[in-house]
């Protein structure tokens, strides 16, 4: 009897093996890494900019930016003070371990303390492909609406931290924070959460302290 393994299972299995290799490579170099997930427009790049500019004097930072086209976001990361590598996926809606492997080869990992991977803007596909990073951070935003945990449970369930961006818009946008948080808690109890505004700087210090502490714990 011939056993048939679904194609998707084969793809994900191969990806997981490469992700483990990426993790081992980062660990050997002493690099701590974060994978940023979000829908388009939630503020991933703004959070990258703020994180890089505020930590540049304390840490050596690099950013790998995934996007379907252009180098706009990588250029912004570089302008903020990071070494930046752009991955153009050519239509793919997510990064995978193979893409990250290629990007890592373009970096001098011995000169990096913190690596931020900005994944493609999408609340579905990126959650299914491990990269080998140490933590996954979901960036949600007030204008997206308070129903996103209920509509995209897989993404909310699988992350290590949640940033709620654009809280400065709460007085102007219909967003029930209690309803949103109940949805998050049902999927990911105890998830560390940072309400903040990249525009005003509100709440940024708590986020930065967490990042530095995660790096310390990892090392």
């Amino acid at each position: 009897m011939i056993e048939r393994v679904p194609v998707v299972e084969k793809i994900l299995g191969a990806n997981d093996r490469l992700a483990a290799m990426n993790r081992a490579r980062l660990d050997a170099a002493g690099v701590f890494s974060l994978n940023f997930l979000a829908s388009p427009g939630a503020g991933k790049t703004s959070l990258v900019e703020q994180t890089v500019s505020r930590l540049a004097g304390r840490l050596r930072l690099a950013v790998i930016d995934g996007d379907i086209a252009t180098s706009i976001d990588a250029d912004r990361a570089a302008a903020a003070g990071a070494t930046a590598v752009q991955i153009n996926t050519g239509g793919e809606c997510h990064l995978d371990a193979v893409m990250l492997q290629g990007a890592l080869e373009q970096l001098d990992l011995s000169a990096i303390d913190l690596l931020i991977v900005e994944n493609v803007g999408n609340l579905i596909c990126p959650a299914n492909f491990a990269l080998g990073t140490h933590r996954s951070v979901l960036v949600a935003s007030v204008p997206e609406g308070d129903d996103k945990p209920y509509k995209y449970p897989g993404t909310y369930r699988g992350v290590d931290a949640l940033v709620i961006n654009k809280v400065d818009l709460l007085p102007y946008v219909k967003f029930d924070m209690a309803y949103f948080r109940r949805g998050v808690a049902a999927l990911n109890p105890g998830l560390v959460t940072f309400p903040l505004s990249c525009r005003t700087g509100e709440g940024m210090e708590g986020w930065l302290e967490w990042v530095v502490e995660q790096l310390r714990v990892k090392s």
Side-chain angles (χ1 to χ4, degrees), residues 8-23:
V8 172
E9 185 176 320
K10 284 187 176 181
I11 291 172
L12 292 178
N15 183 82
D16 287 347
R17 288 190 290 274
L18 285 172
M21 293 172 62
N22 289 342
R23 174 72 71 87

Side-chain angles (χ1 to χ4, degrees), residues 189-202:
L191 179 65
V192 60
T193 302
F194 302 96
L196 57 80
S197 169
C198 290
R199 189 181 70 84
T200 68
E202 176 186 352

